Amino acid sequence: SSPHLVQVRERIRINGQPISKDLFNKYFWLVYNRLEETKDLVHANMPAYFRFLTIMAFHVFLQEKVDLAVVEVGIGGAYDCTNIIRAPVVCGVSSLGIDHTSILGDTMEKIAWQKSGIFKPGVPAFTVAQPERPLEVLRERAQERKCPLYLCPELDEFEEGCQALELGLAGAHQRSNAALALQLARTWLQRRGCQGLGELKEVPPSTELAGKPVPLAPTFRPTDAMIQGLRDTEWLGRTQMLSHGPVTWYLDGAHTTSSIQACVRWFRQATLNQDKLHDGSEVRVLVFNATGDRDTAALLKLLLPCHFDYAVFCPNFTEVSVTNNADQQNFNVTLENALTRCLENQRTWTRLLEEKGGQDPWLPAPLRVGGLLQPAPARGSLLLVPPALNSPALVFPCLAQALRWVAQGRDPHLAAPATSGAHPHPAASSGAVLLREASAIRVLVTGSLHLVGGALRLLDPALSQ
């Protein structure tokens, strides 16, 4: 799976655990040296980062003799480098969303075409409820490729006549993911000769799928192992909560409009459930960044109903200097570019608040803020100089400084913010007082999986081991 959150080894797992550092080191150099020895001398290029890791993952799975490999595509499907598996056991397409538009296209139909590129002749494929037109595209591509495509019944259908299925992952959207996971698991188990899992009704090749609804896959009674699997599933960085004293961190790597909407529903419900645990004041903080070609204004607008007291924008860099953590370096983005985007997000958030303030008389109009980048010759880095104190929208040059300001020394995992030279671009002095005195601080970190990964590295040091 990709991307990784804290360490690159997370991308290649065996029995749910990232491969060890020794195994990663061993297989990295085996693959690297073999490619180096055999590369085309005319076009003497090594594979790019993701392509190399994909080749390495296949090599690891083959050498370690895994029974079953679950491979997530990188971007899209049709032209993704994972799509060299000629005859997978089964394929799955989860709920489609608008993302990576510069690569996949700017409509759901174009994205559906790319995703359905993983369909293979005679290999069953499953998808979940989709809008009408994208579902038609999936169906047409399945027909072209002679791939039997099925629609997963809702998870409720699996619960008839038995107990409600408990999911380890929060959020209503996880129910369709769970239904898809059950169908994929059942297909594999059926291939292994397991009984009592509901037989698939094969669609004859002559059957015209076009113009007809995608046939529903049969439901079946989940086995005890399946029930336990759904209940015990953990996925870091997705609807994850960390309670550190008075500070509760809500981490969700949502980065599309549909996933941000799901994130907002989860965050509002989770904070509602926790409200009764605290008396006194509560401060809500948004920590946000987005990368690539995403429409950040649209994402930020969806986050307004959470009623944040402060919005903090920072790049995905854990520290201003990233040399101490190679796993989170990104050579495609400079700090200057990342900070420029953060300042744009700050201006967007301020404008959204002003517009909302015009609609809601009770909401005080925020101070108009901007930002000024100034070089610091002594340290060779950029400093942010806020034009106004007490601003509800703040920018920091790295995650460590942002999270330390939010926590104000009240999270034992984070050092208190420095009061002198280390934070020369101080933010909102009154905000610091509010955060220090609040009985509860609720912080939503979202907009980018890389941002969430950087936050996890700081908030849960064990993940870096």
Side-chain angles (χ1 to χ4, degrees):
S1 64
S2 64
H4 61 273
L5 290 170
V6 178
Q7 297 193 74
V8 68
R9 296 182 295 111
E10 298 165 28
R11 295 176 183 239
I12 306 173
R13 298 168 182 257
I14 296 179
N15 295 334
Q17 296 302 311
I19 62 173
S20 68
K21 290 182 179 179
D22 287 344
L23 266 189
F24 187 93
N25 188 45
K26 169 188 166 183
Y27 285 122
F28 177 94
W29 288 114
L30 272 173
V31 173
Y32 184 92
N33 291 333
R34 183 67 58 84
L35 290 171
E36 184 70 40
E37 291 162 11
T38 57
K39 70 184 178 185
D40 183 343
L41 294 176
V42 180
H43 312 94
N45 288 332
M46 291 290 276
Y49 183 79
F50 182 83
R51 189 168 296 186
F52 180 90
L53 289 173
T54 302
I55 296 167
M56 181 177 157
F58 287 136
H59 186 67
V60 170
F61 295 150
L62 287 166
Q63 294 301 308
E64 295 295 313
K65 298 179 172 53
V66 300
D67 299 302
L68 169 70
V70 181
V71 180
E72 181 200 34
V73 300
I75 293 176
Y79 305 120
D80 193 80
C81 64
T82 58
N83 196 27
I84 62 164
I85 305 170
R86 294 189 183 94
V89 173
V90 62
C91 295
V93 176
S94 58
S95 184
L96 297 169
I98 296 286
D99 198 15
H100 301 294
T101 51
S102 62
I103 299 171
L104 304 181
D106 55 2
T107 67
M108 291 279 273
E109 289 83 356
K110 291 176 183 175
I111 290 170
W113 188 93
Q114 294 278 358
K115 298 282 187 182
S116 53
I118 64 171
F119 294 166
K120 301 290 186 291
V123 173
F126 295 87
T127 190
V128 295
Q130 310 280 9
E132 184 179 359
R133 274 298 300 144
L135 185 61
E136 284 177 16
V137 172
L138 294 179
R139 185 177 61 212
E140 288 161 6
R141 288 270 273 170
Q143 184 184 22
E144 286 169 15
R145 291 172 167 253
K146 297 181 172 54
C147 160
L149 175 65
Y150 302 91
L151 198 60
C152 293
E154 297 291 334
L155 196 61
D156 301 6
E157 304 287 323
F158 291 89
E159 296 175 334
E160 283 187 9
C162 65
Q163 66 199 59
L165 294 168
E166 184 185 336
L167 302 186
L169 299 179
H173 59 291
Q174 295 295 356
R175 290 184 67 79
S176 71
N177 288 340
L180 179 59
L182 286 173
Q183 294 289 356
L184 299 178
R186 187 211 58 80
T187 305
W188 164 245
L189 291 167
Q190 188 184 38
R191 171 77 71 90
R192 293 291 293 265
C194 298
Q195 302 299 315
L197 293 165
E199 296 301 311
L200 268 185
K201 296 172 185 173
E202 293 296 339
V203 180
S206 59
T207 304
E208 288 290 324
L209 284 177
K212 297 180 181 177
V214 175
L216 267 182
T219 55
F220 54 91
R221 187 182 181 88
T223 64
D224 290 344
M226 289 178 176
I227 293 169
Q228 181 184 348
L230 294 177
R231 185 181 63 238
D232 295 347
T233 298
E234 292 181 346
W235 201 251
L236 296 181
R238 278 79 166 177
T239 58
Q240 182 183 0
M241 285 173 55
L242 293 174
S243 293
H244 292 178
V247 187
T248 305
W249 304 92
Y250 301 80
L251 307 168
D252 192 89
H255 50 272
T256 65
T257 51
S258 55
S259 59
I260 286 283
Q261 286 170 327
C263 171
V264 166
R265 287 193 295 270
W266 163 69
F267 176 74
R268 296 183 75 180
Q269 187 60 50
T271 52
L272 197 67
N273 293 344
Q274 283 207 312
D275 278 347
K276 55 184 175 292
L277 303 178
H278 294 279
D279 298 321
S281 62
E282 170 186 306
V283 177
R284 290 189 178 193
V285 183
L286 169 67
V287 178
F288 180 91
N289 191 40
T291 60
D293 52 9
R294 297 181 176 92
D295 182 355
T296 49
L299 302 183
L300 289 170
K301 189 170 185 177
L302 292 171
L303 289 159
L304 280 177
C306 296
H307 300 302
F308 294 105
D309 300 289
Y310 294 95
V312 171
F313 303 99
C314 66
N316 293 342
F317 304 120
T318 311
E319 307 279 355
V320 175
S321 169
V322 294
T323 51
N324 65 335
N325 184 26
D327 282 16
Q328 291 183 314
Q329 280 185 272
N330 184 345
F331 294 104
N332 297 317
V333 180
T334 65
L335 179 59
E336 288 83 354
N337 289 344
L339 283 173
T340 299
R341 183 148 189 180
C342 291
L343 290 166
E344 290 169 0
N345 291 339
Q346 180 194 42
R347 284 191 288 272
T348 300
W349 184 257
T350 305
R351 176 177 55 77
L352 288 168
L353 284 182
E354 287 173 344
E355 291 171 0
K356 186 173 175 62
Q359 299 163 11
D360 297 340
W362 55 266
L363 192 69
L367 294 169
R368 184 174 294 279
V369 297
L372 180 63
L373 290 176
Q374 290 188 345
R379 302 223 325 250
S381 62
L382 292 175
L383 307 179
L384 287 167
V385 182
L389 292 180
N390 309 332
S391 162
L394 316 167
V395 175
F396 289 87
C398 69
L399 251 169
Q401 292 187 18
L403 299 192
R404 284 179 195 132
W405 180 80
V406 170
Q408 288 295 317
R410 303 182 69 189
D411 182 334
H413 293 79
L414 294 170
T419 53
S420 58
H423 288 263
H425 60 289
S429 55
S430 69
V433 172
L434 286 174
L435 290 163
R436 282 196 293 269
E437 295 181 354
S439 61
I441 303 170
R442 308 203 188 285
V443 193
L444 175 62
V445 184
T446 193
S448 164
L449 271 169
H450 300 287
L451 180 79
V452 167
L456 273 171
R457 179 171 175 260
L458 294 164
L459 297 171
D460 189 352
L463 294 174
S464 299
Q465 301 307 311

